Structure formats: C-alpha cells, structure tokens
Amino acid sequence: SLAIREKSLGPDHPDVAGSLNNLAGLYKDQGEYTQAEPLYKRSLAIREKSLGPDNPDVAASLNNLGGLYNTQGQYAQALAIARRASAIYRQRIMAGGTSDAAAQEASKNQGGFGRHLSLLARNADKEPEAQIADEAFQIVQLAQASGTASAIAKMAARFAKGDDELASLIKRKQDAADQVTKQEVQLVKAASKPPQERSAAIEQSLRDEVVAAGKEMGAVDAELGRRFPQYQELTRPEPLSVAQVRGLLKPGEALLAYAIDTDSFAWVVKTDGASFIKLPVQAKEVASQVATVRSQMELGGNGKLQKVSVDVLHDLYKGLIAPVQAQLNGVSHIMVVPAGPLQSLPFGMLVASAPPAIVNDSDYASVDWLVKHHAMSVLPSVSSIQAFRLFAKGGTANEPFAGFGDPSIGNQGGSVRGNGTGLAKIDIATAYRSLLALVTDKAGLIGSAAEIADVETIRNAVSLPETATELQAMAKTLKANEKTIWLRGDATETKVKQTDLSKYRTLAFATHGVMAGQLKGVGEPGLILTPPKQGTVEDDGYLSSGEIAKLKLNADWVILSACNTAASDGTPGAEGLSGMAKAFFYAGARSLLVSHWPVASVATVALTTNMLKEYEANPKQGKAQAQRKAMLELMNTKSHPEYAHPLFWAPFVVVGEGG
C-alpha cells in the first residue's frame, strides 16, 4: 500500500503519511521498535510540511511517536512529545471559545491527554512536584472541556460588561476562528489531490491564511485582555493554574477534581497548596460499581425499597476518597469536579468506614456516609469556579422567590416524579410529532422544522398536586408573596416566558423532568407544564432546554424539584449534567439543585424546605452546607425511618456555587 501511494502520489503526500503511520503501528505491536520509529518520524515530517505545524494530524503523529517511546520505557522523550501534542490541542481548544468546538477538539485528543497525565505522574526526570501537579491540573482541564462548561462561560459573558466595541471584537475573533476551520479543510483537500493536480502555491497560500487567522485570534485575545479583562477571563477556556484556584478558595474549602480512565488521578487544591495523586481504580470498574448502586435507587417491582450495596459504596470511597483523605481533613466544603462514571453518583453517598449490617431501613442512618463529614457541591469544570465566584460579587435580584408547579395534567396523584408511577407508563416517544413550522427569526429569515409536543400525551402524565404544597412551603420559608407561585392553569410555558424572571433570587420548578433518552432521539430534555388545548411552537406544555436557554435569569439558584434533572442528555459520551442544567446556566442561574434519579415527593418537600430554612437562617454557611444539614435531618426523621434509605435523601446535588 505504501509503495503504491509513494509511486502514484509522491513521497510527501498526506496519504503516504497515513500508510507510514499504519505500517509503523504494525511494527510497534510486533515489538519491532527500531523499524517503527523512523516511519513514525517520516509520517510526522510529511504532515508538518504539508499541513503546518499546528494541524491536528500533526498532533496525532506526535501522539503515535510518543506512544512508541512510552512503550519502550523512554519516558522523558515520551513526555516531551506529549507536551508538544497537548500544546497544539490547547491552542485549538482555546480557539473554540465558548462554542461547542472546544469540547469537540478536546474529545479528539483524549488518549493523548491521558498519556500526558500518566507520564507526569511517573515524572521520570524528577521535576519539582508542585510544577508537575500544576501542569497535570491544567491538562485535565483541557481533557474535560465540555458543553456544560461552555454554557457557564456563555452565562458569564452575558453578565460581563458589554457594548458595541466588545461585540465588534467578539465578532472579529469568531470570524477568524471560522476562517481557520474553513482554510484547514481546504488545505487538506488541496494537499490530498493527485500529484498532477496539486499546486504548491495554493497550498502555501492556504497555510499562510491559517497562520494569519491564528495571529488575528491572538491579537483579538490580547486586545480583549487589555480592554475587557473580565469578559476575557470568563469566556476564554484557558485552564486555570493551581495558584489561580487557590486564590478563589476560602478557608475550609477544597476543590477535588478527577480524571477516571485506565490510569486515574485526583487533584486536591486548597488555599495552602495542591496535591496530584494517582488512584487505584479504573474507569470500567468504577462504572460497574456506580451502575450497581444506581440500579438500587428506584422502587422494586413490589413497590418496596431495594437493599443498597453499602459495601460497594465503601469500596468506591476507598478508591476515590481514601487516597486523598489526608488532604481533606479539616475541609468543611468540597467542590467536586467529577469525570466519567462519577458524574452519575452523588458523592455524599460514599461510605467512609466499614458499614454495619443492614436489616431494616432505619439501619441506614448509622452508616458512615461521606455527607456526615463534608458539605459537597459539584462544578461542571474547574474553570466554572471563576465564573460563579466573580458573579457572587455582582448585583442581586430584588424578589425572593418564584415557583411553577402542580401543572394541570393527569387524573391521579403520584408519589414519584417522572419514572415509576409517572411518565414511565407513557410511551414518551409518542409525545412528539415533527411538524414543519414556519418560524421567523430576528433577521427575518423563515423556516426550519420545529417539534411540537402532543398535548394529549403530555396531559396524561401523572398529576402532582403535592408540589403545590412544596412551593407554598418554599415561599413561606423565603417570606415571599404567594402571588409569585403559578400553579395548575397558570403553570404554563406562556407564563414562564412572559414573566420577568430576572427579578427573583430563587426559582423552583416542581414538576416532571424528562430526559432526552426518554424521547428516543426525538425532542430535547425539559420540564412538563400545563398544556394548552392545542400545541404551538410557543406553548405545547413542554419547556425544552432550548427554550430554557432563552430565558433571562439572575438567580442565586434554581431548584429543579423533578426527576433525573442531573442525568445524561442521552447523546453518546454525554456528560452527567443534562441539557436542562446547561440551559439554566446559560440563562443566568448561578447554582442549581438537580436530582440524579426519580424523587419521592413527600420527602422532597421536607428536604427542600428545610434546606431553604437553613440557608435563610445563615446564608454565609453556603448552599452546600444548608443542603447537607437538610439531608442529615431527613435521614434521621423518627416518624419516617425509611427516609434513612439514600433513595430519599441522596438524589439532589448542588451544582455551581455551593459556598
């Protein structure tokens, strides 16, 4: 194959680089390292020459060569190669800005970032530990660039100073980024033509245009940094250093970040330093353990609580927390940046010491749950702490509370929102039918298909009359006027969209939440509200994540008292936070209370109202601490010993600013 391509395309064609790479890979797998190395190097040289030094194909060749050195035990050389490949992707991820392009670029180099971290942990050249920890901390942030983090950056930008000059600079940067993407595609096409059709002049011109557009982005970034430093700091996905995070933390706080893969790692950052620790766990094992416990967080077929594998939760503690426990001693609030399967489990459920035998539900109260030791909140990314903490200094909404719930749906009450007694009885896929709707945007352009919910299917979801009591209790706790609660026929999409929600510090939606997975590829995750007689694009009884993102909020927190609002959005490789959570961040929420599984309504009323009471009584303690106290109170409810089961107290997590 290589000989044919060299003869027909010439020795410096990108397709020749591909054949060289494949042949080198074969030799590597055979252990023929001396034969593999020159082929990898030649492949790299061709790609550098034809595509430019910062092309992702060059990074791929670097990763392959670095993998060879790693296999041979040449760790210092492998680390040098990994650093160069990561630098290429760092530049590309940053160029992605607040678009989803950043997450897409990060996903392309997951293997490269993983090897980089493993080589740093090995530290063959014995570089200073603090320097290695800082480098690894920044690499894991690149690896975990996500759509949720992007949503937070966009939310940050909306609150930052904005004017025509800022908008002009942002447009310039976006145009330059688009130009890089376009010209890179054209360069690959030009360089991949047969020899007789290739033009050295055209290829060089395209390379020059890519370089020029990159310089333009750099120039705009520099100007943004000078003239609009807050905007630039919040929206540019530059990884934070350990020193920057330390400066954002308060005494008694720690940021705990994870990377879970074949090699797994944890970082603990506190005001007085940071640690980089390899963990004795692998992603496959952790995913299996998490799946086991998650399967026990729904009522059994007989309607009874399932027995929880507290031993598995203790094993998870031993693998994930015990290696860093010394660094967490004395920490009252842990901000967790989870990864992989850890995004699907509340950390407060981990069991910190050998669990007792569980005979009755009340025995769960004596389990040494991690929540008994620390208040915990979740950050979708390391950098999001910067956005949330900067906004805490901003303006505050004037009105205390607004809530929407008890929609006019169903004929019978349910005790669990969403699955089990609610939406699971409906084929949710039938709730949607794709209709060609003529939609006019701000530019006057018409057209594209819109999905409108089948209002009759929405109307048949189980009713939730107890959510009215929950919202009223929240309003009373926050000393709010009950006129800011919209129930039954008033709990509509139209009311949500027409109300000035930016006035309210706390928002609550007490209703069914629907995951994208339940829609079987049709529609978006969202919340069920009271449907109209006939559905329209503006109001079909279903507030989708796309519609949520268009709201204008200034909320300290949004309480999503519904099922599965922290669940994956149903896309391959999806993050643990759903499209709903992303949408609320983009709309302007600084903290969310979201759930990992269907919630029991009566217990939820007690949990959320006690949490708000705790927070109102002492706001300085933070939302995570208020939630922790409410969870402990719920699990020790004498009149309901079953509430000690984590199905009742553990589903909710504070996402965002928990301090």
Side-chain angles (χ1 to χ4, degrees):
S1 172
L2 172 61
I4 292 170
R5 283 180 165 170
E6 285 179 315
K7 182 178 180 181
S8 62
L9 301 175
D12 296 327
H13 194 279
D15 287 357
V16 172
S19 286
L20 288 164
N21 179 74
N22 294 341
L23 184 57
L26 172 63
Y27 286 142
K28 174 176 174 288
D29 290 343
Q30 290 179 305
E32 302 286 352
Y33 304 135
T34 57
Q35 290 180 271
E37 183 178 2
L39 299 180
Y40 274 140
K41 286 184 173 179
R42 186 179 160 201
S43 174
L44 171 61
I46 291 172
R47 286 173 169 171
E48 286 178 315
K49 180 180 178 181
S50 60
L51 303 176
D54 298 324
N55 190 278
D57 285 354
V58 172
S61 284
L62 287 165
N63 280 327
N64 290 335
L65 182 59
L68 174 67
Y69 290 145
N70 186 60
T71 301
Q72 291 178 287
Q74 298 178 28
Y75 301 122
Q77 287 177 274
L79 179 56
I81 293 287
R83 282 169 166 161
R84 186 177 163 198
S86 293
I88 291 173
Y89 270 100
R90 180 175 186 140
Q91 180 180 351
R92 299 183 69 83
I93 290 168
M94 289 170 57
T98 57
S99 72
D100 290 333
Q104 293 166 3
E105 292 290 350
S107 69
K108 294 175 186 176
N109 195 49
Q110 287 304 302
F113 288 138
R115 185 182 300 117
H116 192 160
L117 290 173
S118 297
L119 289 164
L120 287 170
R122 187 178 291 276
N123 194 10
D125 278 351
K126 304 300 179 186
E127 298 178 44
E129 288 187 9
Q131 179 180 313
I132 288 291
D134 191 28
E135 181 178 343
F137 188 59
Q138 295 185 50
I139 291 300
V140 77
Q141 292 175 64
L142 294 172
Q144 295 176 354
S146 71
T148 306
S150 170
I152 293 171
K154 291 175 182 175
M155 179 269 286
R158 280 204 19 242
F159 279 82
K161 179 184 178 182
D163 56 29
D164 290 341
E165 292 182 23
L166 174 59
S168 177
L169 283 171
I170 295 168
K171 181 66 165 55
R172 271 179 59 194
K173 183 177 178 180
Q174 187 58 56
D175 288 346
D178 291 343
Q179 184 74 357
V180 168
T181 302
K182 178 182 175 182
Q183 300 302 69
E184 282 183 341
V185 171
Q186 294 301 316
L187 178 57
V188 171
K189 287 182 179 179
S192 299
K193 290 180 178 180
Q196 62 274 20
E197 297 179 22
R198 290 181 65 177
S199 167
I202 290 176
E203 291 176 30
Q204 186 59 49
S205 175
L206 290 168
R207 283 192 289 270
D208 291 343
E209 289 177 21
V210 170
V211 171
K215 289 181 178 178
E216 167 72 355
M217 283 193 292
V220 174
D221 275 333
E223 191 168 354
L224 284 167
R226 289 193 304 270
R227 297 172 56 189
F228 305 98
Q230 186 185 38
Y231 174 88
Q232 182 70 341
E233 189 172 82
L234 295 177
T235 60
R236 192 181 186 197
E238 176 77 50
L240 296 183
S241 66
V242 165
Q244 286 174 301
V245 173
R246 287 175 59 188
L248 292 167
L249 295 173
K250 300 166 186 173
E253 289 186 326
L255 184 142
L256 174 59
Y258 284 96
I260 304 296
D261 208 324
T262 304
D263 288 336
S264 299
F265 305 95
W267 292 258
V268 178
V269 184
K270 299 188 293 184
T271 56
D272 59 353
S275 301
F276 170 42
I277 298 168
K278 188 171 183 179
L279 302 176
V281 299
Q282 293 188 337
K284 187 176 181 180
E285 173 195 14
V286 172
S288 176
Q289 292 171 315
V290 170
T292 295
V293 176
R294 282 296 305 262
S295 70
Q296 297 160 352
M297 292 301 112
E298 295 188 22
L299 296 177
N302 56 4
K304 294 184 178 180
L305 296 169
Q306 298 187 63
K307 191 170 183 178
V308 180
S309 298
V310 288
D311 54 335
V312 172
L313 288 166
H314 183 45
D315 287 340
L316 281 167
Y317 172 87
K318 288 188 289 186
L320 299 169
I321 299 294
V324 299
Q325 186 60 68
Q327 286 76 21
L328 296 176
N329 289 337
V331 171
S332 58
H333 175 211
I334 302 174
M335 288 169 277
V336 182
V337 185
L342 301 184
Q343 297 177 99
S344 300
L345 192 72
F347 269 64
M349 283 181 67
L350 300 185
V351 176
S353 59
I358 303 297
V359 179
N360 301 308
D361 291 334
S362 59
D363 294 334
Y364 289 112
S366 62
V367 173
D368 190 17
W369 305 108
L370 188 57
V371 71
K372 293 183 177 181
H373 301 271
H374 307 280
M376 311 189 83
S377 58
V378 172
L379 293 176
S381 66
V382 171
S383 62
S384 59
I385 184 177
Q386 187 170 239
F388 293 129
R389 293 259 149 128
L390 285 175
F391 289 133
K393 303 173 185 176
T396 302
N398 295 322
E399 300 294 327
F401 178 78
F404 299 85
D406 188 17
S408 297
I409 53 175
N411 297 312
Q412 299 177 357
S415 60
V416 179
R417 297 169 208 175
N419 291 352
T421 62
L423 292 173
K425 293 186 177 180
I426 300 173
D427 180 4
I428 198 68
T430 65
Y432 280 80
R433 59 183 188 274
S434 289
L435 300 178
L436 186 62
L438 294 180
V439 182
T440 304
D441 65 18
K442 291 182 180 179
L445 301 175
I446 295 179
S448 99
E451 288 177 343
I452 300 178
D454 183 333
V455 294
E456 291 307 314
T457 304
I458 297 294
R459 208 184 313 277
N460 285 330
V462 171
S463 63
L464 296 164
E466 69 281 0
T467 61
T469 303
E470 178 181 345
L471 293 173
Q472 289 160 355
M474 288 185 192
K476 184 177 180 180
T477 298
L478 296 172
K479 299 179 174 59
N481 192 322
E482 286 200 9
K483 290 182 179 179
T484 61
I485 300 174
W486 291 276
L487 308 171
R488 305 296 296 166
D490 292 326
T492 65
E493 271 194 90
T494 298
K495 179 61 71 173
V496 171
K497 292 175 180 178
Q498 291 181 352
T499 301
D500 180 7
L501 298 179
S502 66
K503 297 190 300 184
Y504 301 102
R505 294 191 297 275
T506 299
L507 291 173
F509 292 85
T511 181
H512 292 295
V514 182
M515 293 186 297
Q518 288 179 282
L519 303 177
K520 299 180 182 178
V522 184
E524 302 175 68
L527 300 170
I528 283 182
L529 295 169
T530 298
K533 290 183 179 180
Q534 182 173 349
T536 65
V537 173
E538 289 301 316
D539 192 340
D540 55 7
Y542 188 73
L543 188 67
S544 69
S545 59
E547 293 170 311
I548 291 167
K550 296 176 183 177
L551 302 176
K552 296 293 185 288
L553 311 180
N554 187 16
D556 281 339
W557 61 2
V558 173
I559 298 172
L560 300 183
S561 180
C563 84
N564 293 325
T565 44
S568 163
D569 63 11
T571 57
E575 308 142 35
L577 286 174
S578 72
M580 259 189 293
K582 296 177 189 179
F584 274 110
F585 281 132
Y586 182 69
R590 288 183 278 279
S591 299
L592 304 178
L593 186 74
V594 295
S595 59
H596 275 286
W597 51 77
V599 297
S601 288
V602 177
T604 297
V605 171
L607 182 67
T608 54
T609 53
N610 285 336
M611 177 184 67
L612 289 174
K613 286 179 183 176
E614 286 284 353
Y615 184 66
E616 285 298 301
N618 181 16
K620 290 185 179 180
Q621 69 180 317
K623 303 181 185 72
Q625 192 64 251
Q627 186 215 12
R628 171 180 175 267
K629 292 179 179 178
M631 287 193 287
L632 294 176
E633 185 173 345
L634 186 67
M635 74 170 69
N636 289 294
T637 305
K638 292 183 179 180
S639 58
H640 287 279
E642 73 276 11
Y643 285 176
H645 191 291
L647 178 146
F648 295 103
W649 60 262
F652 288 104
V653 292
V654 174
V655 181
E657 177 55 83

